[in-house]
Amino acid sequence: MRNLIDILDLSVSEIEELTQIAEDIIKNPEKYQEKCRYKKLATLFFEPSTRTRLSFEAAMMELGGNVIGFSEANSSSAAKGESVSDTVKTVGCYADIIAMRHPKEGAPLAASFKAEVPIINAGDGGHNHPTQTLADLLTIKMEKGGFDNLTIGLCGDLKFGRTVHSLINAMSRYKNIRFVLISPEELSLPDYIKKGVIEKNNIPYTETRDLEEAVKDLDILYMTRVQRERFFNEADYIRLKDSYILTLEKLANAKKDLCVMHPLPRVNEISPEVDEDSRACYFKQVKYGKYMRMALILKFLEVEI
Ligand code: CP
């Protein structure tokens, strides 16, 4: 039985396999529409979500399966004090696979020790978000043709942005990658990623506060929201929230084939005028996320394709 807690739980060849399945689902959706008949996915969301929960649910429905779950902790017995371990042990009696989001780092890992069905981490605090990374990887493959030889700018809240942490882990396994870390000092990338992943893998990187200067060298610009829910005080959030707002003017010196990504939701980080630019890829990312989650469900349920 497999769990997906960290993107590194999947090998490079498994990621290749998932992207190939997702591409086949895009081309031949009818081939997959009964693959999970009589199977159930449980979505246990102890923290808010639009994309991740609904794309998991849409993914299972498009595979012919069913969905149960809850979208806030207060509507589950967690509100009465039930432990995460007991919740997943219980839900494993009803469902074949569980996607779980939790505000506490490590909660899906703890759940996986007790669960008798596969656990997929759908975001744990400021730590990891591996299925967003699957969406990001398919976007990169579709837009850039592969994962090697890329200069990737990561901009905004690199401290609390779990999607950034998972994406750096994933991209660190490919050839000739360079990272440009664009953030205010207070929201810079934690050392456990900077030293523990980037430096450990001898990947070249630079740190800057200047988005306009950095943008001209980039193949990918990954914008992120300042994560209000992880701040200890509101005043710090208000001071930092609009550190970066991407506009068409700021893209003036960018490459014509730059791929602008954002895991969404956005607040102010990308001006809506950018949505119409051919370099805006963030709504494609949303679509690709559903197909990668379909591929992941098929793999973890060991469905024959
Ligand atoms: N990208 C992402 O995780 O979005 P949601 O919080 O809406 O699920």
Side-chain angles (χ1 to χ4, degrees):
M1 190 186 79
R2 294 290 299 272
N3 300 299
L4 178 61
I5 305 301
D6 185 305
I7 193 67
L8 298 180
D9 293 337
L10 294 167
S11 67
V12 167
S13 62
E14 284 178 316
I15 287 188
E16 183 59 30
E17 178 196 346
L18 290 173
T19 57
Q20 279 172 12
I21 296 169
E23 286 177 63
D24 194 50
I25 296 170
I26 294 169
K27 285 190 204 117
N28 305 296
E30 68 294 338
K31 198 171 121 187
Y32 294 88
Q33 61 197 11
E34 294 288 327
K35 289 286 184 196
C36 286
R37 207 162 170 219
Y38 306 123
K39 299 283 187 193
K40 278 185 248 117
L41 162 78
T43 51
L44 311 186
F45 277 60
F46 296 86
E47 207 183 44
S49 168
T50 296
R51 275 145 294 273
T52 311
R53 185 171 66 84
L54 297 182
S55 71
F56 262 117
E57 296 186 357
M60 192 48 147
M61 287 177 191
E62 288 185 31
L63 292 168
N66 289 302
V67 177
I68 57 173
F70 53 81
S71 58
E72 51 176 322
N74 278 343
S75 66
S76 78
S77 285
K80 299 178 214 162
E82 185 170 58
S83 69
V84 163
S85 300
D86 285 358
T87 301
V88 296
K89 224 170 161 44
T90 302
V91 175
C93 299
Y94 314 137
D96 302 286
I97 186 165
I98 295 173
M100 178 182 158
R101 171 171 288 187
H102 202 284
K104 286 223 165 77
E105 287 85 357
L109 177 65
S112 71
F113 297 144
K114 292 283 177 186
E116 287 167 21
V117 298
I119 297 286
I120 300 172
N121 177 4
D124 62 326
H127 195 211
N128 280 314
H129 193 347
T131 66
Q132 178 62 48
T133 306
L134 292 178
D136 301 343
L137 291 173
L138 185 58
T139 309
I140 292 170
K141 188 168 182 210
M142 297 297 244
E143 295 299 312
K144 293 284 160 202
F147 304 122
D148 297 329
N149 308 316
L150 295 169
T151 298
I152 304 169
L154 300 143
C155 178
D157 185 349
L158 309 188
K159 180 178 179 185
F160 296 119
R162 58 193 174 197
T163 62
V164 166
H165 305 161
S166 291
L167 184 61
I168 289 174
N169 265 302
M171 293 309 297
S172 295
R173 297 190 290 189
Y174 297 101
K175 291 194 198 92
N176 196 22
I177 295 299
R178 194 165 78 84
F179 292 115
V180 182
L181 308 175
I182 309 155
S183 75
E185 174 85 35
E186 288 148 288
L187 297 179
S188 64
L189 195 67
D191 274 353
Y192 80 93
I193 303 286
K194 199 177 349 182
K195 293 192 193 322
V197 181
I198 300 179
E199 291 180 11
K200 193 171 160 208
N201 288 294
N202 296 316
I203 297 170
Y205 73 98
T206 50
E207 291 184 285
T208 178
R209 294 191 58 145
D210 189 342
L211 171 61
E212 273 170 281
E213 176 57 27
V215 79
K216 56 186 193 313
D217 296 327
L218 304 179
D219 300 303
I220 292 168
L221 172 59
Y222 196 93
M223 298 295 295
T224 60
R225 173 178 66 92
V226 175
Q227 306 274 304
R228 180 181 203 160
E229 61 275 35
R230 315 269 176 241
F231 275 74
F232 291 111
N233 77 68
E234 184 74 0
D236 284 346
Y237 168 73
I238 289 168
R239 185 167 49 79
L240 292 165
K241 71 184 171 71
D242 289 331
S243 298
Y244 298 100
I245 301 175
L246 187 67
T247 57
L248 285 175
E249 200 185 332
K250 290 189 183 139
L251 284 173
N253 295 324
K255 292 183 183 174
K256 296 287 169 248
D257 63 348
L258 171 72
C259 175
V260 179
M261 299 173 67
H262 190 309
L264 305 179
R266 75 173 146 188
V267 183
N268 276 334
E269 313 79 58
I270 303 181
S271 166
E273 68 183 12
V274 178
D275 298 1
E276 304 310 317
D277 192 285
S278 61
R279 293 168 288 189
C281 295
Y282 28 94
F283 287 108
K284 290 185 198 167
Q285 236 172 308
V286 173
K287 252 195 192 148
Y288 293 142
K290 182 185 71 178
Y291 296 117
M292 284 302 261
R293 290 180 176 107
M294 288 172 82
L296 184 68
I297 291 169
L298 289 167
K299 182 172 173 63
F300 276 18
L301 290 181
E302 298 176 5
V303 175
E304 205 159 303
I305 297 171

PDB file of all heavy atoms in Angstrom, residues 6 18-20 52 59 71 105 113-114 120 123 205 209 213 217 221 228-229 241 243 274:
ATOM      1  N   ASP A   6       5.160  13.168   0.826  1.00  0.00           N
ATOM      2  CA  ASP A   6       6.176  14.096   0.328  1.00  0.00           C
ATOM      3  C   ASP A   6       6.350  13.759  -1.154  1.00  0.00           C
ATOM      4  O   ASP A   6       6.257  12.578  -1.524  1.00  0.00           O
ATOM      5  CB  ASP A   6       7.468  13.790   1.114  1.00  0.00           C
ATOM      6  CG  ASP A   6       8.603  14.734   0.812  1.00  0.00           C
ATOM      7  OD1 ASP A   6       8.959  14.873  -0.378  1.00  0.00           O
ATOM      8  OD2 ASP A   6       9.156  15.310   1.757  1.00  0.00           O
ATOM      9  N   LEU A  18       3.168   8.909 -14.194  1.00  0.00           N
ATOM     10  CA  LEU A  18       1.926   9.653 -13.887  1.00  0.00           C
ATOM     11  C   LEU A  18       1.637  10.712 -14.947  1.00  0.00           C
ATOM     12  O   LEU A  18       0.478  10.895 -15.344  1.00  0.00           O
ATOM     13  CB  LEU A  18       2.027  10.310 -12.503  1.00  0.00           C
ATOM     14  CG  LEU A  18       1.995   9.351 -11.300  1.00  0.00           C
ATOM     15  CD1 LEU A  18       2.265  10.107 -10.005  1.00  0.00           C
ATOM     16  CD2 LEU A  18       0.667   8.606 -11.201  1.00  0.00           C
ATOM     17  N   THR A  19       2.675  11.394 -15.417  1.00  0.00           N
ATOM     18  CA  THR A  19       2.426  12.419 -16.439  1.00  0.00           C
ATOM     19  C   THR A  19       1.958  11.756 -17.743  1.00  0.00           C
ATOM     20  O   THR A  19       1.085  12.285 -18.428  1.00  0.00           O
ATOM     21  CB  THR A  19       3.655  13.317 -16.711  1.00  0.00           C
ATOM     22  OG1 THR A  19       4.753  12.515 -17.086  1.00  0.00           O
ATOM     23  CG2 THR A  19       4.025  14.155 -15.518  1.00  0.00           C
ATOM     24  N   GLN A  20       2.496  10.563 -18.032  1.00  0.00           N
ATOM     25  CA  GLN A  20       2.045   9.864 -19.261  1.00  0.00           C
ATOM     26  C   GLN A  20       0.587   9.428 -19.136  1.00  0.00           C
ATOM     27  O   GLN A  20      -0.199   9.561 -20.074  1.00  0.00           O
ATOM     28  CB  GLN A  20       2.931   8.663 -19.539  1.00  0.00           C
ATOM     29  CG  GLN A  20       4.216   9.058 -20.234  1.00  0.00           C
ATOM     30  CD  GLN A  20       5.213   7.906 -20.352  1.00  0.00           C
ATOM     31  OE1 GLN A  20       4.880   6.754 -20.124  1.00  0.00           O
ATOM     32  NE2 GLN A  20       6.440   8.244 -20.700  1.00  0.00           N
ATOM     33  N   THR A  52      -7.946  21.904  -4.423  1.00  0.00           N
ATOM     34  CA  THR A  52      -7.434  20.560  -4.116  1.00  0.00           C
ATOM     35  C   THR A  52      -8.590  19.606  -3.813  1.00  0.00           C
ATOM     36  O   THR A  52      -8.671  18.510  -4.369  1.00  0.00           O
ATOM     37  CB  THR A  52      -6.443  20.631  -2.935  1.00  0.00           C
ATOM     38  OG1 THR A  52      -5.514  21.677  -3.207  1.00  0.00           O
ATOM     39  CG2 THR A  52      -5.702  19.333  -2.761  1.00  0.00           C
ATOM     40  N   ALA A  59     -11.901  14.330  -9.921  1.00  0.00           N
ATOM     41  CA  ALA A  59     -11.042  13.265 -10.463  1.00  0.00           C
ATOM     42  C   ALA A  59     -11.691  11.906 -10.220  1.00  0.00           C
ATOM     43  O   ALA A  59     -11.806  11.083 -11.141  1.00  0.00           O
ATOM     44  CB  ALA A  59      -9.662  13.330  -9.810  1.00  0.00           C
ATOM     45  N   SER A  71     -15.390  19.069   4.711  1.00  0.00           N
ATOM     46  CA  SER A  71     -14.581  20.175   4.209  1.00  0.00           C
ATOM     47  C   SER A  71     -14.137  21.124   5.323  1.00  0.00           C
ATOM     48  O   SER A  71     -13.473  22.113   5.056  1.00  0.00           O
ATOM     49  CB  SER A  71     -15.366  20.952   3.155  1.00  0.00           C
ATOM     50  OG  SER A  71     -16.563  21.412   3.717  1.00  0.00           O
ATOM     51  N   GLU A 105       1.758  20.547  10.420  1.00  0.00           N
ATOM     52  CA  GLU A 105       2.794  19.850   9.666  1.00  0.00           C
ATOM     53  C   GLU A 105       2.946  18.429  10.219  1.00  0.00           C
ATOM     54  O   GLU A 105       3.030  18.253  11.444  1.00  0.00           O
ATOM     55  CB  GLU A 105       4.142  20.577   9.790  1.00  0.00           C
ATOM     56  CG  GLU A 105       4.238  21.866   9.004  1.00  0.00           C
ATOM     57  CD  GLU A 105       3.687  23.094   9.744  1.00  0.00           C
ATOM     58  OE1 GLU A 105       3.164  22.941  10.856  1.00  0.00           O
ATOM     59  OE2 GLU A 105       3.787  24.197   9.167  1.00  0.00           O
ATOM     60  N   PHE A 113       0.529   6.207   9.510  1.00  0.00           N
ATOM     61  CA  PHE A 113       0.998   5.105  10.358  1.00  0.00           C
ATOM     62  C   PHE A 113      -0.163   4.220  10.815  1.00  0.00           C
ATOM     63  O   PHE A 113       0.019   3.058  11.127  1.00  0.00           O
ATOM     64  CB  PHE A 113       1.750   5.635  11.587  1.00  0.00           C
ATOM     65  CG  PHE A 113       3.018   6.398  11.244  1.00  0.00           C
ATOM     66  CD1 PHE A 113       3.408   7.500  11.995  1.00  0.00           C
ATOM     67  CD2 PHE A 113       3.827   6.004  10.176  1.00  0.00           C
ATOM     68  CE1 PHE A 113       4.569   8.202  11.685  1.00  0.00           C
ATOM     69  CE2 PHE A 113       4.991   6.703   9.862  1.00  0.00           C
ATOM     70  CZ  PHE A 113       5.361   7.804  10.618  1.00  0.00           C
ATOM     71  N   LYS A 114      -1.341   4.797  10.900  1.00  0.00           N
ATOM     72  CA  LYS A 114      -2.499   4.063  11.433  1.00  0.00           C
ATOM     73  C   LYS A 114      -3.478   3.609  10.355  1.00  0.00           C
ATOM     74  O   LYS A 114      -4.270   2.695  10.567  1.00  0.00           O
ATOM     75  CB  LYS A 114      -3.273   4.972  12.417  1.00  0.00           C
ATOM     76  CG  LYS A 114      -2.516   5.278  13.677  1.00  0.00           C
ATOM     77  CD  LYS A 114      -2.538   4.092  14.620  1.00  0.00           C
ATOM     78  CE  LYS A 114      -1.706   4.401  15.864  1.00  0.00           C
ATOM     79  NZ  LYS A 114      -1.571   3.266  16.750  1.00  0.00           N
ATOM     80  N   ILE A 120      -3.112  10.346   1.048  1.00  0.00           N
ATOM     81  CA  ILE A 120      -2.484  11.357   0.187  1.00  0.00           C
ATOM     82  C   ILE A 120      -2.501  12.677   0.945  1.00  0.00           C
ATOM     83  O   ILE A 120      -3.565  13.136   1.382  1.00  0.00           O
ATOM     84  CB  ILE A 120      -3.247  11.495  -1.145  1.00  0.00           C
ATOM     85  CG1 ILE A 120      -3.234  10.147  -1.895  1.00  0.00           C
ATOM     86  CG2 ILE A 120      -2.642  12.605  -2.001  1.00  0.00           C
ATOM     87  CD1 ILE A 120      -4.124  10.126  -3.122  1.00  0.00           C
ATOM     88  N   GLY A 123      -1.855  18.772   1.579  1.00  0.00           N
ATOM     89  CA  GLY A 123      -1.331  20.027   2.148  1.00  0.00           C
ATOM     90  C   GLY A 123      -1.280  19.917   3.662  1.00  0.00           C
ATOM     91  O   GLY A 123      -2.320  19.690   4.288  1.00  0.00           O
ATOM     92  N   TYR A 205      21.884  28.826  -7.222  1.00  0.00           N
ATOM     93  CA  TYR A 205      20.730  29.665  -6.911  1.00  0.00           C
ATOM     94  C   TYR A 205      21.195  31.062  -6.531  1.00  0.00           C
ATOM     95  O   TYR A 205      22.344  31.263  -6.123  1.00  0.00           O
ATOM     96  CB  TYR A 205      19.879  29.060  -5.779  1.00  0.00           C
ATOM     97  CG  TYR A 205      20.482  29.156  -4.399  1.00  0.00           C
ATOM     98  CD1 TYR A 205      20.112  30.171  -3.510  1.00  0.00           C
ATOM     99  CD2 TYR A 205      21.432  28.222  -3.970  1.00  0.00           C
ATOM    100  CE1 TYR A 205      20.663  30.256  -2.241  1.00  0.00           C
ATOM    101  CE2 TYR A 205      21.990  28.310  -2.702  1.00  0.00           C
ATOM    102  CZ  TYR A 205      21.604  29.318  -1.836  1.00  0.00           C
ATOM    103  OH  TYR A 205      22.156  29.411  -0.589  1.00  0.00           O
ATOM    104  N   ARG A 209      15.541  40.543  -3.846  1.00  0.00           N
ATOM    105  CA  ARG A 209      14.225  41.120  -3.532  1.00  0.00           C
ATOM    106  C   ARG A 209      13.600  41.710  -4.789  1.00  0.00           C
ATOM    107  O   ARG A 209      12.456  42.122  -4.781  1.00  0.00           O
ATOM    108  CB  ARG A 209      14.394  42.247  -2.499  1.00  0.00           C
ATOM    109  CG  ARG A 209      14.866  41.776  -1.161  1.00  0.00           C
ATOM    110  CD  ARG A 209      14.735  42.880  -0.159  1.00  0.00           C
ATOM    111  NE  ARG A 209      13.343  43.328  -0.094  1.00  0.00           N
ATOM    112  CZ  ARG A 209      12.742  43.736   1.006  1.00  0.00           C
ATOM    113  NH1 ARG A 209      13.385  43.750   2.135  1.00  0.00           N
ATOM    114  NH2 ARG A 209      11.495  44.145   0.984  1.00  0.00           N
ATOM    115  N   GLU A 213      14.129  42.912 -11.944  1.00  0.00           N
ATOM    116  CA  GLU A 213      15.477  42.613 -12.418  1.00  0.00           C
ATOM    117  C   GLU A 213      15.615  41.107 -12.696  1.00  0.00           C
ATOM    118  O   GLU A 213      16.217  40.699 -13.696  1.00  0.00           O
ATOM    119  CB  GLU A 213      16.491  43.083 -11.342  1.00  0.00           C
ATOM    120  CG  GLU A 213      17.943  42.789 -11.603  1.00  0.00           C
ATOM    121  CD  GLU A 213      18.447  43.379 -12.930  1.00  0.00           C
ATOM    122  OE1 GLU A 213      17.895  44.396 -13.397  1.00  0.00           O
ATOM    123  OE2 GLU A 213      19.390  42.774 -13.495  1.00  0.00           O
ATOM    124  N   ASP A 217      15.663  36.682 -16.825  1.00  0.00           N
ATOM    125  CA  ASP A 217      16.427  35.436 -17.038  1.00  0.00           C
ATOM    126  C   ASP A 217      15.572  34.182 -16.902  1.00  0.00           C
ATOM    127  O   ASP A 217      16.061  33.074 -17.100  1.00  0.00           O
ATOM    128  CB  ASP A 217      17.546  35.331 -15.980  1.00  0.00           C
ATOM    129  CG  ASP A 217      18.559  36.437 -16.136  1.00  0.00           C
ATOM    130  OD1 ASP A 217      18.792  36.842 -17.289  1.00  0.00           O
ATOM    131  OD2 ASP A 217      19.092  36.900 -15.111  1.00  0.00           O
ATOM    132  N   LEU A 221       8.219  31.512 -13.852  1.00  0.00           N
ATOM    133  CA  LEU A 221       8.057  32.396 -12.692  1.00  0.00           C
ATOM    134  C   LEU A 221       6.902  31.842 -11.875  1.00  0.00           C
ATOM    135  O   LEU A 221       5.757  31.809 -12.341  1.00  0.00           O
ATOM    136  CB  LEU A 221       7.750  33.836 -13.136  1.00  0.00           C
ATOM    137  CG  LEU A 221       7.365  34.796 -12.001  1.00  0.00           C
ATOM    138  CD1 LEU A 221       8.463  34.899 -10.946  1.00  0.00           C
ATOM    139  CD2 LEU A 221       7.032  36.181 -12.563  1.00  0.00           C
ATOM    140  N   ARG A 228      -1.396  34.288   4.908  1.00  0.00           N
ATOM    141  CA  ARG A 228      -1.947  34.978   6.080  1.00  0.00           C
ATOM    142  C   ARG A 228      -2.182  34.029   7.274  1.00  0.00           C
ATOM    143  O   ARG A 228      -1.894  34.369   8.427  1.00  0.00           O
ATOM    144  CB  ARG A 228      -3.286  35.601   5.660  1.00  0.00           C
ATOM    145  CG  ARG A 228      -3.970  36.342   6.748  1.00  0.00           C
ATOM    146  CD  ARG A 228      -5.295  36.887   6.243  1.00  0.00           C
ATOM    147  NE  ARG A 228      -5.724  38.015   7.025  1.00  0.00           N
ATOM    148  CZ  ARG A 228      -6.607  38.895   6.596  1.00  0.00           C
ATOM    149  NH1 ARG A 228      -7.131  38.800   5.416  1.00  0.00           N
ATOM    150  NH2 ARG A 228      -6.962  39.895   7.380  1.00  0.00           N
ATOM    151  N   GLU A 229      -2.696  32.824   6.989  1.00  0.00           N
ATOM    152  CA  GLU A 229      -3.084  31.900   8.049  1.00  0.00           C
ATOM    153  C   GLU A 229      -1.914  31.353   8.859  1.00  0.00           C
ATOM    154  O   GLU A 229      -2.108  30.732   9.900  1.00  0.00           O
ATOM    155  CB  GLU A 229      -3.920  30.748   7.471  1.00  0.00           C
ATOM    156  CG  GLU A 229      -3.237  29.857   6.429  1.00  0.00           C
ATOM    157  CD  GLU A 229      -3.309  30.396   4.990  1.00  0.00           C
ATOM    158  OE1 GLU A 229      -3.257  31.628   4.796  1.00  0.00           O
ATOM    159  OE2 GLU A 229      -3.382  29.563   4.064  1.00  0.00           O
ATOM    160  N   LYS A 241       2.023  41.769   2.785  1.00  0.00           N
ATOM    161  CA  LYS A 241       1.114  41.060   1.862  1.00  0.00           C
ATOM    162  C   LYS A 241       1.251  41.508   0.411  1.00  0.00           C
ATOM    163  O   LYS A 241       1.062  40.697  -0.488  1.00  0.00           O
ATOM    164  CB  LYS A 241      -0.347  41.156   2.336  1.00  0.00           C
ATOM    165  CG  LYS A 241      -0.990  42.526   2.211  1.00  0.00           C
ATOM    166  CD  LYS A 241      -2.391  42.473   2.813  1.00  0.00           C
ATOM    167  CE  LYS A 241      -3.019  43.812   2.940  1.00  0.00           C
ATOM    168  NZ  LYS A 241      -3.441  44.477   1.716  1.00  0.00           N
ATOM    169  N   SER A 243       3.997  42.625  -1.105  1.00  0.00           N
ATOM    170  CA  SER A 243       5.425  42.765  -1.435  1.00  0.00           C
ATOM    171  C   SER A 243       5.639  42.657  -2.944  1.00  0.00           C
ATOM    172  O   SER A 243       6.510  43.316  -3.513  1.00  0.00           O
ATOM    173  CB  SER A 243       6.245  41.676  -0.758  1.00  0.00           C
ATOM    174  OG  SER A 243       6.148  41.783   0.632  1.00  0.00           O
ATOM    175  N   VAL A 274      -2.830  40.362 -16.366  1.00  0.00           N
ATOM    176  CA  VAL A 274      -1.857  39.349 -16.822  1.00  0.00           C
ATOM    177  C   VAL A 274      -2.570  38.086 -17.313  1.00  0.00           C
ATOM    178  O   VAL A 274      -2.033  37.334 -18.135  1.00  0.00           O
ATOM    179  CB  VAL A 274      -0.846  39.021 -15.680  1.00  0.00           C
ATOM    180  CG1 VAL A 274       0.147  37.940 -16.089  1.00  0.00           C
ATOM    181  CG2 VAL A 274      -0.094  40.286 -15.248  1.00  0.00           C
TER     182      VAL A 274
END
